[in-house]
Every structure is written in C-alpha cells, then in structure tokens.
C-alpha cells in the first residue's frame, strides 16, 4: 500500500497549502522549493506525520535528503512503517 496519498494529505494540512498538494507527485521538490516549508514548518510536519501514521520518526535519520521531494519523504515514512510493522 502506498503512503503517498496520506503524505500528500498531511503535507497539505500541516503546511496550510489549501489543496495545492493535489497537483504534487513523487517528483515534486519540497525543501528549498516550497516556501511554506521553512525550518519551523519541518518540525510541524514531522509531528503531523508522526501523529497521522502513529510512529516516531527517528531524529538521527532525518536530514535534508528526506525532505528533498514528496517521493523521498513518502519513501522515508514507508521505510519507518515497514520497520515498525
């Protein structure tokens, strides 16, 4: 099961994108390309993802590459979910 739709939903809600994430796909760049995703928003997004998926995202694995694109973020969340299963 793909987590991409859920990640897009959380992105939209956490960043206040007002539905703009409907136009995003896995290749959509995030960090540095999406003005709403600043350092404070990253913290909010992490918390929202943890709450939505019921997991803890390991701090030591979170770096800029995770937030490079929608696809890299979804892949990271999927990996964490697979490990927690």
């Amino acid at each position: 099961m793909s987590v991409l739709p859920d990640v897009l939903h959380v992105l939209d809600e956490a960043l206040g994108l007002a539905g703009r994430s409907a136009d995003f796909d896995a290749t959509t760049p995030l960090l540095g390309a999406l003005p709403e995703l600043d350092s404070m928003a990253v913290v909010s997004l992490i918390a929202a993802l943890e709450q939505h998926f019921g997991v803890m995202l390991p701090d030591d694995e979170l770096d800029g590459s995770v937030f490079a694109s929608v696809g890299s973020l979804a892949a990271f969340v999927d990996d964490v979910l697979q490990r927690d299963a």
Side-chain angles (χ1 to χ4, degrees):
M1 180 171 102
S2 174
V3 299
L4 186 61
D6 285 325
V7 168
L8 288 171
H9 172 76
V10 174
L11 269 169
D12 203 77
E13 292 292 317
L15 302 180
L17 299 178
R20 287 188 8 235
S21 69
D23 295 330
F24 294 177
D25 62 23
T27 65
T28 303
L30 294 176
L31 200 58
L34 193 62
E36 293 86 353
L37 191 59
D38 60 17
S39 59
M40 292 302 294
V42 167
V43 174
S44 297
L45 178 57
I46 291 167
L49 288 165
E50 288 177 337
Q51 181 177 2
H52 181 84
F53 289 102
V55 296
M56 292 296 296
L57 302 179
D59 292 340
D60 61 334
E61 295 178 29
L62 289 166
D63 59 29
S65 67
V66 170
F67 300 95
S69 69
V70 171
S72 63
L73 181 57
F76 178 75
V77 170
D78 188 52
D79 182 58
V80 171
L81 289 170
Q82 296 299 319
R83 286 187 271 162
D84 282 1

